[in-house]
Amino acid sequence: MSNYHVKTLEEYFQLYRKSVRNPELFWEEIAEEHFVWRKKWDKVVEYDFSKPEFKWFEGAKLNITENCIDRHIHIRGDKTAILFEPNNPDEEAEHISYKELHKRVCKFANVLKEQGIKKGDRVCIYLPMIPELAISILACARIGAVHSVVFAGFSSTALATRINDCEAKMVITSDGSYRGAKTIDLKSIVDEALESCPSIETVLVAKRIHSDIELKEGRDKWLAPLLEEAYQDCVPEIMDAEDPLFILYTSGSTGSPKGMLHTTAGYMVYTAYTFKNVFNYKENDVYWCTADIGWITGHSYIVYGPLANGATTVMFEGVPSYPDFGRFWEVIEKHKITQFYTAPTAIRALAKENLDFVDSHDLSSLKVLGTVGEPINEEAWHWYNDNVGKKKNPIVDTWWQTETGGIMISPLPYLTPTKPTYATLPLPGIQLALIDEKGKEIKGNQVDGRLCVKYPWPSMARSIWGNHQRYKETYFSAYDNMYFTGDGALRDEVGYYRITGRVDDVIIVSGHNLGTAPIEDSVNEHPAVAESAIVGFPHDVKGNALYGYVILKETGEERNQDNLRKEINQIITEHIGPIAKLDKIQFVEGLPKTRSGKIMRRILRKIAHNELSNLGDVSTLLNPEVVENIIKERL
Ligand code: 7RM
């Protein structure tokens, strides 16, 4: 029996039990079976929840790009590694073979070195979904530089915050990007950000839209001529198992974004293993994940997981609505996609359009469908199952987080019977617990509670960059000896898990994790705003949308409320990005507060959800009288 590929449901249960009984043996066999190591580990896992400290495969030496590229060259060198589908369907798709990928990553790695990047240096990557994005990530990993990809939809302020937090030395960007019918001037966003980023020495600029941009003397360089000149082989830096691989920022419930730190060996083993099993990837499959590489889904399941399995992975530059709402289905037909992995928000948006967009395409190549990012509602699940999967393809509803590095709960396709809205069972090696309000584990089935993980797993984030204390407080302080996810979940009568949503102040909008605090900070920057509170409310396309309660300063001046709303959203767009704009803004006289001055979001959330009959006890509030007014004027 191969440990690496689970082939029957019976085997899954056996392996799961083994992974609990003897986690070290379980992971050791997987690490032995599938990967190339320059030196094997001394110890599979060492951990201490109280510090907290987690080490996987200590003593091992490796380079993740050898596993993702070099070893495939001899056996599948001409196979397409990355299949690039451009924004414009008339532009030809690009097939980058494993051999070609090796050459391009090596050249890029040599450019990084020539520009003074060394092992351990942080490199910020702010690129659209073009091959250079995946290649620059791999080039960093080749030489041991730590990549920090910032989603290219983020604003200059958000970019600057992330560059400064990790003191990156270099930014890799492009002249601009295509997004449907629009072009976006990425380089000027970078220029604006860099006005407040003293650590940046060099900016490498890829040409994508061929716009007229300015290069700052001594700082900015076109990428293409440097690549042209670079040598096409680059000896990989031999890394320790726990050397940092990348930082990826995710928003928290307070203040600044958290730079989740992922390390090398454990991340590689776990993303490769889960990719193989969750998508049941076979040698001639063409796998497509529609996420942007700027999110963890793209890191783990467009780049590292697929390439560590020698897969063909599609990179799509465009959007689902361009040139029309049939684009996803057209691409599936065109490239004979076998695994398709997308977000519930995209499914809901496409389900609103005419079914002909789907039905006019041949989707018979599909074998497995996946979803990620937020709970998928019953209706969207059925639409996906009926119209895309034609009731033949299993849907893997995959639950995981930036912090977990890889998929934690998911059906195994063709093995685990699926159930709409359920992520079903933990993957082998993942020991879940549901915890009640008092901090006690809830055993048995048909229960719900806060979702925790009580044993370490290889791809867990090891720290928050520059703030280990915050890592400890956020994830390991709620309950002893376990990782707290921030999500609530229920376990049904057969032990299947269903994620019920966040229990903290993070709201998932269109699959993006947004912390309310940083958005409130932006709103409060408006000169007319005194205070604000933001909650989520259900939205049929985005899953959740944002509802802002705003108290205005008393200036005696009459302001047009619609103009104020626009201005507030403009500030949010500048500070965070358009994704965080408020759908509804209600101007209120006061916010319900506890005696210690904490805003009672629970009440505001209920009002936004229009659940007015059951507001709970408001008598403990400092100012119970404001509640009635807020209800009267709710939007
Ligand atoms: C991969 C990713 C993490 C949060 C997580 C959940 C929510 C993700 C699902 C889900 C229900 C799912 N990373 N979430 N997947 N909720 N079912 N299948 O999304 O860091 O950006 O977000 O997303 O609340 O805690 S993330």
Side-chain angles (χ1 to χ4, degrees):
M1 175 167 110
S2 149
N3 253 340
Y4 187 71
H5 187 201
V6 187
K7 293 196 189 59
T8 64
L9 191 58
E10 186 48 38
E11 235 179 71
Y12 159 77
F13 285 116
Q14 270 176 33
L15 285 166
Y16 188 83
R17 283 192 296 268
K18 174 172 173 179
S19 78
V20 174
R21 252 193 342 262
N22 195 343
E24 297 205 43
L25 180 66
F26 174 77
W27 287 114
E28 175 153 70
E29 285 176 359
I30 287 169
E32 292 264 4
E33 187 180 327
H34 187 74
F35 302 91
V36 285
W37 302 92
R38 290 299 184 102
K39 176 182 171 288
K40 294 267 169 81
W41 46 91
D42 303 317
K43 182 99 180 82
V44 176
V45 60
E46 242 178 314
Y47 66 96
D48 180 344
F49 275 103
S50 69
K51 282 185 173 170
E53 187 175 88
F54 307 95
K55 291 180 177 170
W56 283 89
F57 307 108
E58 261 272 275
K61 298 211 179 273
L62 73 156
N63 185 289
I64 195 168
T65 70
E66 264 192 323
N67 282 275
C68 288
I69 309 171
D70 302 54
R71 64 161 155 160
H72 302 308
I73 289 177
H74 321 289
I75 40 181
R76 47 177 81 88
D78 294 319
K79 176 177 174 176
T80 301
I82 294 175
L83 203 177
F84 172 61
E85 171 67 22
N87 178 64
N88 179 349
D90 298 329
E91 190 182 324
E92 216 172 305
E94 192 183 347
H95 292 251
I96 302 170
S97 69
Y98 273 95
K99 265 191 210 148
E100 179 73 17
L101 183 63
H102 181 266
K103 188 165 131 187
R104 290 178 66 173
V105 168
C106 285
K107 277 177 164 271
F108 208 127
N110 286 327
V111 169
L112 294 178
K113 281 193 193 167
E114 279 161 28
Q115 299 299 320
I117 300 298
K118 297 192 173 60
K119 180 178 173 182
D121 287 346
R122 275 79 61 209
V123 172
C124 174
I125 303 174
Y126 187 71
L127 279 172
M129 282 286 284
I130 56 176
E132 284 79 359
L133 173 50
I135 291 166
S136 60
I137 284 174
L138 294 163
C140 286
R142 187 87 176 168
I143 66 168
V146 181
H147 56 79
S148 167
V149 180
V150 176
F151 172 57
F154 274 136
S155 69
S156 61
T157 326
L159 174 61
T161 307
R162 287 157 177 75
I163 289 172
N164 289 331
D165 183 75
C166 69
E167 296 169 290
K169 273 172 81 173
M170 175 188 271
V171 179
I172 302 169
T173 189
S174 66
D175 52 355
S177 67
Y178 293 119
R179 207 180 150 71
K182 289 190 290 200
T183 57
I184 295 158
D185 193 358
L186 279 192
K187 177 60 167 52
S188 66
I189 299 174
V190 171
D191 288 342
E192 214 178 301
L194 294 194
E195 282 171 24
S196 58
C197 298
S199 61
I200 294 296
E201 293 167 8
T202 314
V203 179
L204 298 181
V205 188
K207 237 182 210 162
R208 177 57 183 144
I209 65 169
H210 298 269
S211 58
D212 222 0
I213 61 159
E214 265 175 51
L215 294 191
K216 187 169 169 199
E217 185 70 40
R219 186 193 72 183
D220 303 352
K221 290 168 184 141
W222 287 115
L223 184 58
L226 295 173
L227 286 172
E228 183 98 2
E229 293 294 307
Y231 184 56
Q232 57 165 313
D233 203 357
C234 171
V235 178
E237 185 77 29
I238 302 311
M239 307 294 284
D240 288 335
E242 284 295 339
D243 276 339
L245 177 62
F246 66 87
I247 300 165
L248 186 62
Y249 287 88
T250 187
S251 46
S253 49
T254 54
S256 53
K258 299 173 286 193
M260 302 314 305
L261 177 68
H262 284 281
T263 59
T264 307
Y267 177 82
M268 171 183 80
V269 168
Y270 194 79
T271 54
Y273 173 71
T274 51
F275 173 77
K276 173 72 181 173
N277 288 293
V278 170
F279 299 104
N280 192 30
Y281 186 86
K282 303 278 175 63
E283 185 64 31
N284 296 315
D285 289 348
V286 181
Y287 160 88
W288 181 20
C289 165
T290 68
D292 192 288
I293 291 176
W295 312 115
I296 190 67
T297 304
H299 281 61
S300 302
Y301 299 109
I302 296 179
V303 182
Y304 288 115
L307 296 179
N309 283 282
T312 296
T313 177
V314 173
M315 261 184 90
F316 176 48
E317 184 185 25
V319 293
S321 55
Y322 180 82
D324 62 39
F325 287 100
R327 187 67 191 277
F328 274 4
W329 324 123
E330 182 198 315
V331 173
I332 290 174
E333 178 174 13
K334 176 178 173 187
H335 296 302
K336 302 199 167 50
I337 300 295
T338 44
Q339 288 89 355
F340 180 67
Y341 190 28
T342 196
T345 183
I347 296 167
R348 286 192 297 267
L350 295 170
K352 290 203 143 175
E353 303 301 323
N354 196 317
L355 252 191
D356 284 346
F357 283 122
V358 190
D359 291 342
S360 56
H361 294 286
D362 176 5
L363 306 183
S364 61
S365 57
L366 286 172
K367 298 198 282 193
V368 178
L369 300 177
T371 72
V372 60
E374 57 185 314
I376 180 163
N377 51 307
E378 190 110 21
E379 204 185 337
W381 194 95
H382 283 294
W383 186 89
Y384 198 32
N385 187 47
D386 295 354
N387 300 298
V388 182
K390 319 288 181 200
K391 297 195 167 106
K392 291 196 317 263
N393 296 314
I395 296 176
V396 291
D397 176 350
T398 64
W399 176 84
W400 58 295
Q401 308 175 297
T402 305
E403 294 85 340
T404 69
I407 297 168
M408 304 287 277
I409 311 180
S410 172
L412 297 180
Y414 299 100
L415 309 187
T416 317
T418 58
K419 177 174 176 181
T421 78
Y422 282 74
T424 76
L425 298 171
L427 295 183
I430 304 305
Q431 301 187 33
L432 303 174
L434 294 177
I435 307 296
D436 71 14
E437 249 112 79
K438 296 195 186 77
K440 241 184 81 180
E441 181 170 356
I442 312 165
K443 304 270 184 163
N445 288 342
Q446 281 191 296
V447 292
D448 67 89
R450 292 167 175 229
L451 183 64
C452 293
V453 190
K454 49 183 183 176
Y455 192 85
W457 65 100
S459 67
M460 65 197 297
R462 302 296 196 264
S463 191
I464 290 174
W465 184 265
N467 199 344
H468 198 68
Q469 186 58 27
R470 188 174 180 196
Y471 172 73
K472 179 176 176 164
E473 281 162 15
T474 312
Y475 306 108
F476 300 96
S477 299
Y479 313 108
D480 285 343
N481 292 314
M482 38 184 114
Y483 166 80
F484 173 48
T485 65
D487 283 330
L490 64 81
R491 190 162 53 217
D492 77 358
E493 64 286 354
V494 299
Y496 276 15
Y497 287 85
R498 175 188 183 160
I499 310 304
T500 48
R502 303 290 306 190
V503 295
D504 56 11
D505 287 331
V506 175
I507 303 170
I508 313 279
V509 178
S510 299
H512 300 309
N513 232 348
L514 299 174
T516 52
I519 308 174
E520 288 166 6
D521 292 348
S522 302
V523 174
N524 298 347
E525 293 222 351
H526 191 290
V529 171
E531 199 182 355
S532 62
I534 289 163
V535 299
F537 72 98
H539 184 280
D540 60 355
V541 173
K542 298 195 254 190
N544 291 293
L546 302 176
Y547 194 122
Y549 298 91
V550 174
I551 306 177
L552 293 176
K553 288 180 184 158
E554 284 180 64
T555 57
E557 186 194 355
E558 269 296 325
R559 289 288 313 267
N560 175 302
Q561 295 206 337
D562 281 332
N563 286 346
L564 279 173
R565 289 191 174 97
K566 279 193 198 124
E567 289 164 18
I568 288 169
N569 271 328
Q570 182 57 31
I571 296 175
I572 294 174
T573 304
E574 279 160 20
H575 284 220
I576 299 158
I579 183 92
K581 284 205 276 196
L582 307 180
D583 268 41
K584 294 185 180 177
I585 299 178
Q586 180 180 350
F587 295 102
V588 296
E589 298 294 324
L591 294 167
K593 292 203 176 159
T594 64
R595 279 162 209 280
S596 62
K598 267 177 128 281
I599 299 173
M600 292 287 280
R601 284 163 213 285
R602 185 174 51 81
I603 293 172
L604 295 173
R605 215 174 281 131
K606 288 213 165 132
I607 298 173
H609 285 226
N610 203 9
E611 290 168 12
L612 304 176
S613 57
N614 171 30
L615 285 183
D617 184 14
V618 296
S619 66
T620 56
L621 293 178
L622 192 65
N623 50 353
E625 72 284 356
V626 301
V627 175
E628 213 171 296
N629 274 329
I630 296 178
I631 292 172
K632 244 189 267 156
E633 288 167 19
R634 72 177 283 279
L635 301 173

